[in-house]
Structures are given as structure tokens and as C-alpha cells.
Amino acid sequence: MADIAAAERLLLALDFDGTLAELVDDPLAARPRPGTVALLDDISALPGTEVMLLSGRQLKELRYVAQMGPRVRLVGSHGAEPEEGLALDAAESALLEAIDLRWGQLVADPASAGARVERKPAGRVLHVRGVEDPVRRARVLDRGHSFVRAIAGLHVTPGKDVLEVTVLDVTKGSFLDAARRPGQRVLFIGDDVTDETALRVLRRGDVGVKVGSELDGPTAARFRVPNPTAVTRLLAELVAARGRALGG
């Protein structure tokens, strides 16, 4: 902590769900843990420090649930939806229509009761957390994967009880790698499979933190914390350590 906090230029990049907020069944009910917004505001106010939320949520939804201050940069759809917006061509829009048709039939099937499809500007997400039986949940995901596997031009990303497809070849890792400024060191914190793409592009001198235990699977991160409560404590330590390092 003391080492990364002393970086001349620091980019703090974080996932939202499962990292700053507890995972909940209703996506719109998610909120940052108490004190988190103030801590990120404090960090972003420090010299040479940039804070970014890099989430799988679509941008307008991220704005609603995250409730961050103006200094925190919000990026949605795993990097495909920066604040400056995006535009799709006719071929990409046609691919989304094909997904809507196939997955619409899937979730309308009584055997998929509880599943839903989230529409994003550049992709779609099949959510199965609402499917009560774990065996049926896995079966719905498998069917969803089989429906889109044959469609050329799609990029498929599995997650926790979700399957996401996008028409843009963008991951959290590719976005983070392109977004970092010269001379910046990066502290990245995330919990999901999709966050591993960001953890894998970290460079010498950067720090990656996985939220979750070894039971959540392997990770490219050097460090782990158990839950969002521990992330809040980590951010408080970062505020104090960076303040000391910068002579504040």
C-alpha cells in the first residue's frame, strides 16, 4: 500500500458490483457501501490521482446506482461505453437484432423461468440469477451460449450467472490499457471473471486486487480481499497512505 500510494501519477480503477457494492438480486437496488463515495471523492481530489469505475453495467444504469461525484470517471459495458458515447454501424445493429430474436425465444420458454435479457448499447446480457434451480440455471446458460456461438462477429464473455455478448471487441483489459496515461501506475480492484482481463494487462509497478476467496477461482491479481467491506477499508488506507506520501 505504501509503495503504490507513493506513485507520482496514480490511476485507481475499480469494478462496481461485488467490489464497491454487495451483489443483490435487483440490479437497480445496488448501492455503494456506506462511506465509499466519500472515500473515492477524497482520493480523486489528491494531486496526480485519477479514479475510474470500469463496470459491466451500461453507462446510464451505472450513473444511477453508483452515485459518484463529478471527479470519478464512469465507463460502462466493460469499456465499450465511455462517457463520450459510442456509435454502431448497420452490420453491428443487425447482429444485436439477431441476438434479441434468439435470446428472446430462450427466456420466453417456461423452462427458462427467472432468466432475463439486459439490453446494452453494444451488446446483450443473459442473466440467470433469478433461475432458482442451479442445474436449470446452468442449462439456460448453455442454451444461451449455443444460440450465439454460431453468429460470426460476436464477442462472448461469461461471468457470475451471466453470459454477455457484444458486437465490439472491447474488454476491461483493452480499455484500461488504452486509457492509462503516460507514467501512471494502476491499482485495479475487481471481483468477477470479466475483471481478469484488466488484471492481466497490469504492468510492473501496478497492483491488482481480487475481491473474493480462492473458492471464487484463480486470479491474475497479486492480492485478495474477501468482500466489499474489505474494499472500503482498503480505500480508507489508500487515502491515508497517499496523503502521507504526498505530504498532506
Side-chain angles (χ1 to χ4, degrees):
M1 177 64 72
D3 179 62
I4 193 68
E8 182 178 354
R9 305 188 70 183
L10 175 65
L11 170 59
L12 171 63
L14 312 102
D15 179 38
F16 180 74
D17 295 283
T19 299
L20 297 181
E22 302 288 349
L23 294 174
V24 293
D25 291 336
D26 179 3
L28 293 180
R31 293 294 183 274
R33 288 201 69 261
T36 302
V37 173
L39 285 169
L40 291 178
D41 192 57
D42 289 344
I43 294 171
S44 63
L46 293 170
T49 310
E50 182 181 355
V51 178
M52 173 196 300
L53 259 59
L54 183 51
S55 171
R57 287 180 182 256
Q58 57 180 302
L59 184 58
K60 66 178 182 180
E61 190 175 283
L62 181 61
R63 288 195 187 104
Y64 175 77
V65 297
Q67 303 179 343
M68 292 291 154
R71 285 192 291 257
V72 176
R73 182 181 182 187
L74 303 183
V75 181
S77 300
H78 305 288
E81 199 178 1
E83 288 179 305
E84 55 268 28
L86 59 84
L88 301 181
D89 60 28
E92 291 164 341
S93 297
L95 284 175
L96 291 181
E97 292 177 5
I99 301 166
D100 289 336
L101 176 62
R102 297 189 182 207
W103 277 4
Q105 294 171 342
L106 173 63
V107 298
D109 187 335
S112 303
R116 65 181 179 88
V117 177
E118 176 189 358
R119 297 169 61 90
K120 292 184 177 182
R124 301 292 185 262
V125 187
L126 176 63
H127 293 265
V128 299
R129 188 171 296 160
V131 180
E132 294 183 0
D133 178 54
V135 174
R136 192 157 54 89
R137 192 181 305 150
R139 188 175 298 125
V140 174
L141 279 179
D142 287 342
R143 290 183 64 196
H145 204 164
S146 67
F147 285 172
V148 299
R149 188 181 293 118
I151 302 178
L154 292 180
H155 305 278
V156 182
T157 304
K160 293 181 178 179
D161 293 328
V162 299
L163 181 66
E164 180 158 357
V165 293
T166 177
V167 296
L168 299 178
D169 189 12
V170 180
T171 66
K172 289 187 179 185
S174 64
F175 182 87
L176 181 63
D177 205 35
R180 68 188 299 162
R181 304 177 195 277
Q184 273 186 331
R185 292 174 63 188
V186 175
L187 169 57
F188 181 85
I189 309 173
D191 76 302
D192 206 345
V193 175
T194 56
D195 296 310
E196 293 297 321
T197 63
L199 291 166
R200 287 195 292 268
V201 302
L202 296 182
R203 306 172 189 172
R204 183 182 181 91
D206 295 339
V207 174
V209 179
K210 166 78 171 183
V211 183
S213 71
E214 286 79 1
L215 296 177
D216 295 306
T219 180
R222 291 170 54 202
F223 304 101
R224 288 182 185 264
V225 294
N227 50 44
T229 301
V231 174
T232 304
R233 291 197 297 266
L234 185 153
L235 294 176
E237 293 173 10
L238 179 63
V239 171
R242 189 151 177 78
R244 290 192 297 270
L246 298 177

mmCIF file of all heavy atoms in Angstrom, residues 19-64:
data_model
loop_
_atom_site.group_PDB
_atom_site.id
_atom_site.type_symbol
_atom_site.label_atom_id
_atom_site.label_comp_id
_atom_site.label_asym_id
_atom_site.label_seq_id
_atom_site.Cartn_x
_atom_site.Cartn_y
_atom_site.Cartn_z
ATOM 1 N N THR A 19 -17.710 -5.318 -5.754
ATOM 2 C CA THR A 19 -16.456 -4.663 -5.372
ATOM 3 C C THR A 19 -16.744 -3.454 -4.483
ATOM 4 O O THR A 19 -16.315 -3.409 -3.326
ATOM 5 C CB THR A 19 -15.683 -4.222 -6.619
ATOM 6 O OG1 THR A 19 -15.366 -5.382 -7.405
ATOM 7 C CG2 THR A 19 -14.384 -3.517 -6.255
ATOM 8 N N LEU A 20 -17.474 -2.493 -5.013
ATOM 9 C CA LEU A 20 -17.886 -1.337 -4.211
ATOM 10 C C LEU A 20 -19.269 -1.528 -3.627
ATOM 11 O O LEU A 20 -19.646 -0.839 -2.681
ATOM 12 C CB LEU A 20 -17.871 -0.070 -5.067
ATOM 13 C CG LEU A 20 -16.517 0.348 -5.627
ATOM 14 C CD1 LEU A 20 -16.659 1.628 -6.440
ATOM 15 C CD2 LEU A 20 -15.497 0.543 -4.508
ATOM 16 N N ALA A 21 -20.049 -2.425 -4.208
ATOM 17 C CA ALA A 21 -21.416 -2.703 -3.760
ATOM 18 C C ALA A 21 -21.601 -4.198 -3.607
ATOM 19 O O ALA A 21 -21.009 -4.990 -4.350
ATOM 20 C CB ALA A 21 -22.428 -2.152 -4.762
ATOM 21 N N GLU A 22 -22.425 -4.591 -2.657
ATOM 22 C CA GLU A 22 -22.744 -6.006 -2.492
ATOM 23 C C GLU A 22 -23.572 -6.483 -3.682
ATOM 24 O O GLU A 22 -24.329 -5.722 -4.283
ATOM 25 C CB GLU A 22 -23.537 -6.231 -1.194
ATOM 26 C CG GLU A 22 -22.832 -5.758 0.066
ATOM 27 C CD GLU A 22 -21.659 -6.629 0.475
ATOM 28 O OE1 GLU A 22 -21.515 -7.733 -0.098
ATOM 29 O OE2 GLU A 22 -20.895 -6.215 1.366
ATOM 30 N N LEU A 23 -23.442 -7.745 -4.029
ATOM 31 C CA LEU A 23 -24.255 -8.327 -5.084
ATOM 32 C C LEU A 23 -25.689 -8.505 -4.582
ATOM 33 O O LEU A 23 -25.915 -9.035 -3.491
ATOM 34 C CB LEU A 23 -23.687 -9.677 -5.514
ATOM 35 C CG LEU A 23 -22.308 -9.640 -6.193
ATOM 36 C CD1 LEU A 23 -21.796 -11.066 -6.424
ATOM 37 C CD2 LEU A 23 -22.354 -8.877 -7.510
ATOM 38 N N VAL A 24 -26.655 -8.050 -5.368
ATOM 39 C CA VAL A 24 -28.067 -8.138 -4.988
ATOM 40 C C VAL A 24 -28.868 -8.679 -6.169
ATOM 41 O O VAL A 24 -28.438 -8.608 -7.318
ATOM 42 C CB VAL A 24 -28.618 -6.755 -4.562
ATOM 43 C CG1 VAL A 24 -27.958 -6.285 -3.277
ATOM 44 C CG2 VAL A 24 -28.419 -5.719 -5.667
ATOM 45 N N ASP A 25 -30.058 -9.213 -5.865
ATOM 46 C CA ASP A 25 -30.888 -9.796 -6.916
ATOM 47 C C ASP A 25 -31.462 -8.731 -7.850
ATOM 48 O O ASP A 25 -31.608 -8.967 -9.048
ATOM 49 C CB ASP A 25 -32.024 -10.618 -6.295
ATOM 50 C CG ASP A 25 -31.520 -11.889 -5.619
ATOM 51 O OD1 ASP A 25 -30.437 -12.365 -6.010
ATOM 52 O OD2 ASP A 25 -32.191 -12.385 -4.704
ATOM 53 N N ASP A 26 -31.816 -7.572 -7.310
ATOM 54 C CA ASP A 26 -32.355 -6.482 -8.123
ATOM 55 C C ASP A 26 -31.214 -5.545 -8.496
ATOM 56 O O ASP A 26 -30.710 -4.821 -7.639
ATOM 57 C CB ASP A 26 -33.426 -5.723 -7.337
ATOM 58 C CG ASP A 26 -34.010 -4.546 -8.123
ATOM 59 O OD1 ASP A 26 -33.624 -4.350 -9.296
ATOM 60 O OD2 ASP A 26 -34.840 -3.806 -7.548
ATOM 61 N N PRO A 27 -30.779 -5.526 -9.751
ATOM 62 C CA PRO A 27 -29.613 -4.716 -10.125
ATOM 63 C C PRO A 27 -29.761 -3.230 -9.807
ATOM 64 O O PRO A 27 -28.779 -2.574 -9.471
ATOM 65 C CB PRO A 27 -29.511 -4.944 -11.641
ATOM 66 C CG PRO A 27 -30.225 -6.219 -11.893
ATOM 67 C CD PRO A 27 -31.335 -6.282 -10.897
ATOM 68 N N LEU A 28 -30.972 -2.701 -9.904
ATOM 69 C CA LEU A 28 -31.171 -1.273 -9.658
ATOM 70 C C LEU A 28 -31.198 -0.934 -8.171
ATOM 71 O O LEU A 28 -31.206 0.246 -7.805
ATOM 72 C CB LEU A 28 -32.462 -0.792 -10.329
ATOM 73 C CG LEU A 28 -32.450 -0.826 -11.856
ATOM 74 C CD1 LEU A 28 -33.772 -0.328 -12.412
ATOM 75 C CD2 LEU A 28 -31.300 0.005 -12.412
ATOM 76 N N ALA A 29 -31.208 -1.955 -7.319
ATOM 77 C CA ALA A 29 -31.181 -1.717 -5.871
ATOM 78 C C ALA A 29 -29.760 -1.649 -5.324
ATOM 79 O O ALA A 29 -29.562 -1.300 -4.152
ATOM 80 C CB ALA A 29 -31.964 -2.808 -5.145
ATOM 81 N N ALA A 30 -28.771 -1.967 -6.147
ATOM 82 C CA ALA A 30 -27.377 -1.948 -5.684
ATOM 83 C C ALA A 30 -26.934 -0.519 -5.386
ATOM 84 O O ALA A 30 -27.272 0.416 -6.112
ATOM 85 C CB ALA A 30 -26.471 -2.560 -6.741
ATOM 86 N N ARG A 31 -26.177 -0.351 -4.321
ATOM 87 C CA ARG A 31 -25.625 0.950 -3.950
ATOM 88 C C ARG A 31 -24.219 0.750 -3.390
ATOM 89 O O ARG A 31 -23.909 -0.302 -2.822
ATOM 90 C CB ARG A 31 -26.486 1.642 -2.884
ATOM 91 C CG ARG A 31 -27.871 2.072 -3.350
ATOM 92 C CD ARG A 31 -27.787 3.162 -4.405
ATOM 93 N NE ARG A 31 -29.114 3.624 -4.810
ATOM 94 C CZ ARG A 31 -29.864 3.061 -5.752
ATOM 95 N NH1 ARG A 31 -29.397 1.996 -6.398
ATOM 96 N NH2 ARG A 31 -31.047 3.544 -6.057
ATOM 97 N N PRO A 32 -23.334 1.753 -3.505
ATOM 98 C CA PRO A 32 -22.011 1.645 -2.891
ATOM 99 C C PRO A 32 -22.137 1.478 -1.380
ATOM 100 O O PRO A 32 -23.080 1.996 -0.772
ATOM 101 C CB PRO A 32 -21.349 2.982 -3.237
ATOM 102 C CG PRO A 32 -22.159 3.552 -4.352
ATOM 103 C CD PRO A 32 -23.547 3.046 -4.173
ATOM 104 N N ARG A 33 -21.219 0.766 -0.809
ATOM 105 C CA ARG A 33 -21.212 0.625 0.645
ATOM 106 C C ARG A 33 -21.079 1.989 1.302
ATOM 107 O O ARG A 33 -20.465 2.903 0.745
ATOM 108 C CB ARG A 33 -20.051 -0.268 1.101
ATOM 109 C CG ARG A 33 -20.214 -1.739 0.783
ATOM 110 C CD ARG A 33 -19.325 -2.598 1.683
ATOM 111 N NE ARG A 33 -19.783 -2.592 3.064
ATOM 112 C CZ ARG A 33 -19.285 -1.841 4.030
ATOM 113 N NH1 ARG A 33 -18.301 -1.000 3.812
ATOM 114 N NH2 ARG A 33 -19.766 -1.917 5.241
ATOM 115 N N PRO A 34 -21.655 2.153 2.507
ATOM 116 C CA PRO A 34 -21.574 3.440 3.203
ATOM 117 C C PRO A 34 -20.138 3.938 3.317
ATOM 118 O O PRO A 34 -19.231 3.184 3.688
ATOM 119 C CB PRO A 34 -22.167 3.123 4.583
ATOM 120 C CG PRO A 34 -23.098 1.976 4.334
ATOM 121 C CD PRO A 34 -22.445 1.156 3.262
ATOM 122 N N GLY A 35 -19.946 5.185 2.972
ATOM 123 C CA GLY A 35 -18.632 5.815 3.064
ATOM 124 C C GLY A 35 -17.789 5.703 1.818
ATOM 125 O O GLY A 35 -16.795 6.434 1.673
ATOM 126 N N THR A 36 -18.165 4.819 0.892
ATOM 127 C CA THR A 36 -17.337 4.573 -0.287
ATOM 128 C C THR A 36 -17.282 5.784 -1.214
ATOM 129 O O THR A 36 -16.209 6.149 -1.723
ATOM 130 C CB THR A 36 -17.856 3.353 -1.062
ATOM 131 O OG1 THR A 36 -17.864 2.213 -0.208
ATOM 132 C CG2 THR A 36 -16.976 3.069 -2.260
ATOM 133 N N VAL A 37 -18.425 6.416 -1.451
ATOM 134 C CA VAL A 37 -18.460 7.575 -2.350
ATOM 135 C C VAL A 37 -17.564 8.687 -1.822
ATOM 136 O O VAL A 37 -16.790 9.297 -2.578
ATOM 137 C CB VAL A 37 -19.907 8.077 -2.530
ATOM 138 C CG1 VAL A 37 -19.920 9.380 -3.336
ATOM 139 C CG2 VAL A 37 -20.758 7.024 -3.233
ATOM 140 N N ALA A 38 -17.629 8.944 -0.525
ATOM 141 C CA ALA A 38 -16.793 9.996 0.073
ATOM 142 C C ALA A 38 -15.312 9.648 -0.030
ATOM 143 O O ALA A 38 -14.475 10.522 -0.304
ATOM 144 C CB ALA A 38 -17.186 10.204 1.537
ATOM 145 N N LEU A 39 -14.970 8.375 0.165
ATOM 146 C CA LEU A 39 -13.569 7.971 0.068
ATOM 147 C C LEU A 39 -13.040 8.160 -1.352
ATOM 148 O O LEU A 39 -11.924 8.665 -1.543
ATOM 149 C CB LEU A 39 -13.419 6.507 0.490
ATOM 150 C CG LEU A 39 -13.508 6.217 1.993
ATOM 151 C CD1 LEU A 39 -13.616 4.719 2.233
ATOM 152 C CD2 LEU A 39 -12.292 6.789 2.717
ATOM 153 N N LEU A 40 -13.820 7.770 -2.347
ATOM 154 C CA LEU A 40 -13.367 7.938 -3.727
ATOM 155 C C LEU A 40 -13.274 9.410 -4.105
ATOM 156 O O LEU A 40 -12.400 9.803 -4.889
ATOM 157 C CB LEU A 40 -14.308 7.196 -4.681
ATOM 158 C CG LEU A 40 -14.257 5.672 -4.577
ATOM 159 C CD1 LEU A 40 -15.254 5.038 -5.531
ATOM 160 C CD2 LEU A 40 -12.853 5.152 -4.860
ATOM 161 N N ASP A 41 -14.154 10.218 -3.553
ATOM 162 C CA ASP A 41 -14.066 11.657 -3.789
ATOM 163 C C ASP A 41 -12.785 12.212 -3.174
ATOM 164 O O ASP A 41 -12.090 13.038 -3.786
ATOM 165 C CB ASP A 41 -15.290 12.348 -3.208
ATOM 166 C CG ASP A 41 -15.411 13.796 -3.677
ATOM 167 O OD1 ASP A 41 -15.465 14.018 -4.894
ATOM 168 O OD2 ASP A 41 -15.432 14.706 -2.824
ATOM 169 N N ASP A 42 -12.456 11.754 -1.982
ATOM 170 C CA ASP A 42 -11.218 12.194 -1.323
ATOM 171 C C ASP A 42 -9.993 11.767 -2.130
ATOM 172 O O ASP A 42 -9.039 12.540 -2.300
ATOM 173 C CB ASP A 42 -11.124 11.609 0.093
ATOM 174 C CG ASP A 42 -12.119 12.228 1.065
ATOM 175 O OD1 ASP A 42 -12.664 13.305 0.740
ATOM 176 O OD2 ASP A 42 -12.362 11.626 2.116
ATOM 177 N N ILE A 43 -10.007 10.530 -2.623
ATOM 178 C CA ILE A 43 -8.863 10.039 -3.387
ATOM 179 C C ILE A 43 -8.702 10.828 -4.681
ATOM 180 O O ILE A 43 -7.595 11.229 -5.061
ATOM 181 C CB ILE A 43 -9.031 8.534 -3.692
ATOM 182 C CG1 ILE A 43 -8.990 7.720 -2.398
ATOM 183 C CG2 ILE A 43 -7.935 8.053 -4.652
ATOM 184 C CD1 ILE A 43 -9.369 6.263 -2.575
ATOM 185 N N SER A 44 -9.819 11.072 -5.382
ATOM 186 C CA SER A 44 -9.748 11.771 -6.672
ATOM 187 C C SER A 44 -9.326 13.217 -6.527
ATOM 188 O O SER A 44 -8.882 13.836 -7.495
ATOM 189 C CB SER A 44 -11.099 11.691 -7.381
ATOM 190 O OG SER A 44 -12.107 12.343 -6.629
ATOM 191 N N ALA A 45 -9.448 13.770 -5.319
ATOM 192 C CA ALA A 45 -9.040 15.153 -5.082
ATOM 193 C C ALA A 45 -7.542 15.288 -4.817
ATOM 194 O O ALA A 45 -7.009 16.402 -4.830
ATOM 195 C CB ALA A 45 -9.827 15.733 -3.899
ATOM 196 N N LEU A 46 -6.850 14.165 -4.611
ATOM 197 C CA LEU A 46 -5.414 14.208 -4.325
ATOM 198 C C LEU A 46 -4.630 14.500 -5.602
ATOM 199 O O LEU A 46 -5.021 14.081 -6.694
ATOM 200 C CB LEU A 46 -4.958 12.883 -3.718
ATOM 201 C CG LEU A 46 -5.511 12.557 -2.330
ATOM 202 C CD1 LEU A 46 -5.181 11.119 -1.944
ATOM 203 C CD2 LEU A 46 -4.955 13.530 -1.283
ATOM 204 N N PRO A 47 -3.510 15.194 -5.500
ATOM 205 C CA PRO A 47 -2.715 15.527 -6.696
ATOM 206 C C PRO A 47 -2.252 14.273 -7.443
ATOM 207 O O PRO A 47 -1.896 13.263 -6.839
ATOM 208 C CB PRO A 47 -1.514 16.285 -6.108
ATOM 209 C CG PRO A 47 -1.990 16.798 -4.788
ATOM 210 C CD PRO A 47 -2.953 15.777 -4.271
ATOM 211 N N GLY A 48 -2.273 14.347 -8.767
ATOM 212 C CA GLY A 48 -1.762 13.264 -9.591
ATOM 213 C C GLY A 48 -2.564 11.983 -9.504
ATOM 214 O O GLY A 48 -2.029 10.911 -9.789
ATOM 215 N N THR A 49 -3.841 12.098 -9.144
ATOM 216 C CA THR A 49 -4.647 10.906 -8.888
ATOM 217 C C THR A 49 -5.913 10.927 -9.726
ATOM 218 O O THR A 49 -6.634 11.917 -9.746
ATOM 219 C CB THR A 49 -5.027 10.799 -7.400
ATOM 220 O OG1 THR A 49 -3.860 10.966 -6.590
ATOM 221 C CG2 THR A 49 -5.655 9.446 -7.105
ATOM 222 N N GLU A 50 -6.181 9.821 -10.423
ATOM 223 C CA GLU A 50 -7.391 9.671 -11.229
ATOM 224 C C GLU A 50 -8.148 8.448 -10.740
ATOM 225 O O GLU A 50 -7.552 7.418 -10.426
ATOM 226 C CB GLU A 50 -7.019 9.508 -12.707
ATOM 227 C CG GLU A 50 -8.201 9.381 -13.645
ATOM 228 C CD GLU A 50 -7.771 9.188 -15.094
ATOM 229 O OE1 GLU A 50 -6.557 9.253 -15.373
ATOM 230 O OE2 GLU A 50 -8.652 8.959 -15.941
ATOM 231 N N VAL A 51 -9.487 8.551 -10.673
ATOM 232 C CA VAL A 51 -10.328 7.444 -10.229
ATOM 233 C C VAL A 51 -11.323 7.103 -11.329
ATOM 234 O O VAL A 51 -11.970 7.988 -11.889
ATOM 235 C CB VAL A 51 -11.083 7.787 -8.925
ATOM 236 C CG1 VAL A 51 -11.984 6.619 -8.516
ATOM 237 C CG2 VAL A 51 -10.106 8.120 -7.804
ATOM 238 N N MET A 52 -11.442 5.818 -11.635
ATOM 239 C CA MET A 52 -12.322 5.351 -12.706
ATOM 240 C C MET A 52 -13.127 4.147 -12.237
ATOM 241 O O MET A 52 -12.564 3.207 -11.672
ATOM 242 C CB MET A 52 -11.482 4.957 -13.925
ATOM 243 C CG MET A 52 -12.261 4.300 -15.053
ATOM 244 S SD MET A 52 -11.155 3.446 -16.226
ATOM 245 C CE MET A 52 -10.134 4.810 -16.793
ATOM 246 N N LEU A 53 -14.430 4.176 -12.464
ATOM 247 C CA LEU A 53 -15.258 2.991 -12.309
ATOM 248 C C LEU A 53 -15.387 2.344 -13.680
ATOM 249 O O LEU A 53 -15.871 2.963 -14.629
ATOM 250 C CB LEU A 53 -16.650 3.354 -11.778
ATOM 251 C CG LEU A 53 -16.888 3.120 -10.279
ATOM 252 C CD1 LEU A 53 -15.888 3.930 -9.470
ATOM 253 C CD2 LEU A 53 -18.313 3.470 -9.895
ATOM 254 N N LEU A 54 -14.927 1.101 -13.780
ATOM 255 C CA LEU A 54 -14.939 0.356 -15.035
ATOM 256 C C LEU A 54 -15.852 -0.846 -14.837
ATOM 257 O O LEU A 54 -15.453 -1.866 -14.288
ATOM 258 C CB LEU A 54 -13.513 -0.063 -15.399
ATOM 259 C CG LEU A 54 -13.284 -0.798 -16.705
ATOM 260 C CD1 LEU A 54 -13.916 -0.081 -17.887
ATOM 261 C CD2 LEU A 54 -11.782 -0.980 -16.938
ATOM 262 N N SER A 55 -17.103 -0.692 -15.270
ATOM 263 C CA SER A 55 -18.149 -1.652 -14.929
ATOM 264 C C SER A 55 -18.702 -2.348 -16.158
ATOM 265 O O SER A 55 -18.631 -1.830 -17.280
ATOM 266 C CB SER A 55 -19.289 -0.917 -14.206
ATOM 267 O OG SER A 55 -20.414 -1.738 -14.023
ATOM 268 N N GLY A 56 -19.302 -3.507 -15.927
ATOM 269 C CA GLY A 56 -20.015 -4.188 -16.991
ATOM 270 C C GLY A 56 -21.395 -3.614 -17.242
ATOM 271 O O GLY A 56 -22.015 -3.886 -18.264
ATOM 272 N N ARG A 57 -21.894 -2.805 -16.329
ATOM 273 C CA ARG A 57 -23.215 -2.202 -16.495
ATOM 274 C C ARG A 57 -23.203 -1.192 -17.638
ATOM 275 O O ARG A 57 -22.175 -0.574 -17.922
ATOM 276 C CB ARG A 57 -23.634 -1.473 -15.227
ATOM 277 C CG ARG A 57 -24.026 -2.354 -14.050
ATOM 278 C CD ARG A 57 -24.404 -1.487 -12.886
ATOM 279 N NE ARG A 57 -24.742 -2.241 -11.691
ATOM 280 C CZ ARG A 57 -25.982 -2.432 -11.242
ATOM 281 N NH1 ARG A 57 -27.004 -1.918 -11.912
ATOM 282 N NH2 ARG A 57 -26.201 -3.103 -10.123
ATOM 283 N N GLN A 58 -24.381 -1.005 -18.243
ATOM 284 C CA GLN A 58 -24.469 0.069 -19.214
ATOM 285 C C GLN A 58 -24.339 1.399 -18.477
ATOM 286 O O GLN A 58 -24.660 1.533 -17.296
ATOM 287 C CB GLN A 58 -25.759 -0.002 -20.006
ATOM 288 C CG GLN A 58 -27.035 0.021 -19.212
ATOM 289 C CD GLN A 58 -28.235 -0.059 -20.133
ATOM 290 O OE1 GLN A 58 -28.414 0.776 -21.013
ATOM 291 N NE2 GLN A 58 -29.060 -1.077 -19.938
ATOM 292 N N LEU A 59 -23.851 2.399 -19.176
ATOM 293 C CA LEU A 59 -23.421 3.641 -18.550
ATOM 294 C C LEU A 59 -24.540 4.350 -17.803
ATOM 295 O O LEU A 59 -24.348 4.807 -16.667
ATOM 296 C CB LEU A 59 -22.809 4.568 -19.598
ATOM 297 C CG LEU A 59 -22.213 5.882 -19.094
ATOM 298 C CD1 LEU A 59 -21.128 5.622 -18.061
ATOM 299 C CD2 LEU A 59 -21.653 6.688 -20.262
ATOM 300 N N LYS A 60 -25.718 4.457 -18.403
ATOM 301 C CA LYS A 60 -26.796 5.199 -17.740
ATOM 302 C C LYS A 60 -27.222 4.514 -16.441
ATOM 303 O O LYS A 60 -27.572 5.180 -15.459
ATOM 304 C CB LYS A 60 -27.990 5.383 -18.673
ATOM 305 C CG LYS A 60 -28.716 4.108 -19.062
ATOM 306 C CD LYS A 60 -29.912 4.432 -19.951
ATOM 307 C CE LYS A 60 -30.694 3.167 -20.330
ATOM 308 N NZ LYS A 60 -31.860 3.493 -21.189
ATOM 309 N N GLU A 61 -27.165 3.185 -16.415
ATOM 310 C CA GLU A 61 -27.501 2.447 -15.202
ATOM 311 C C GLU A 61 -26.406 2.612 -14.155
ATOM 312 O O GLU A 61 -26.685 2.743 -12.956
ATOM 313 C CB GLU A 61 -27.701 0.978 -15.540
ATOM 314 C CG GLU A 61 -28.275 0.136 -14.422
ATOM 315 C CD GLU A 61 -28.552 -1.282 -14.871
ATOM 316 O OE1 GLU A 61 -29.564 -1.489 -15.570
ATOM 317 O OE2 GLU A 61 -27.751 -2.175 -14.525
ATOM 318 N N LEU A 62 -25.150 2.625 -14.600
ATOM 319 C CA LEU A 62 -24.035 2.822 -13.674
ATOM 320 C C LEU A 62 -24.133 4.184 -12.997
ATOM 321 O O LEU A 62 -23.894 4.311 -11.797
ATOM 322 C CB LEU A 62 -22.710 2.688 -14.424
ATOM 323 C CG LEU A 62 -21.438 2.835 -13.590
ATOM 324 C CD1 LEU A 62 -21.364 1.770 -12.503
ATOM 325 C CD2 LEU A 62 -20.200 2.777 -14.478
ATOM 326 N N ARG A 63 -24.480 5.212 -13.769
ATOM 327 C CA ARG A 63 -24.643 6.543 -13.180
ATOM 328 C C ARG A 63 -25.694 6.527 -12.063
ATOM 329 O O ARG A 63 -25.516 7.135 -11.009
ATOM 330 C CB ARG A 63 -25.074 7.549 -14.246
ATOM 331 C CG ARG A 63 -24.005 7.937 -15.248
ATOM 332 C CD ARG A 63 -24.433 9.186 -16.010
ATOM 333 N NE ARG A 63 -23.514 9.511 -17.089
ATOM 334 C CZ ARG A 63 -23.760 9.283 -18.371
ATOM 335 N NH1 ARG A 63 -24.918 8.739 -18.742
ATOM 336 N NH2 ARG A 63 -22.874 9.602 -19.298
ATOM 337 N N TYR A 64 -26.789 5.808 -12.320
ATOM 338 C CA TYR A 64 -27.898 5.780 -11.367
ATOM 339 C C TYR A 64 -27.512 5.081 -10.072
ATOM 340 O O TYR A 64 -27.785 5.589 -8.974
ATOM 341 C CB TYR A 64 -29.105 5.092 -12.010
ATOM 342 C CG TYR A 64 -30.262 4.901 -11.069
ATOM 343 C CD1 TYR A 64 -31.098 5.961 -10.745
ATOM 344 C CD2 TYR A 64 -30.520 3.651 -10.503
ATOM 345 C CE1 TYR A 64 -32.163 5.789 -9.876
ATOM 346 C CE2 TYR A 64 -31.581 3.473 -9.630
ATOM 347 C CZ TYR A 64 -32.408 4.539 -9.325
ATOM 348 O OH TYR A 64 -33.451 4.371 -8.450
#
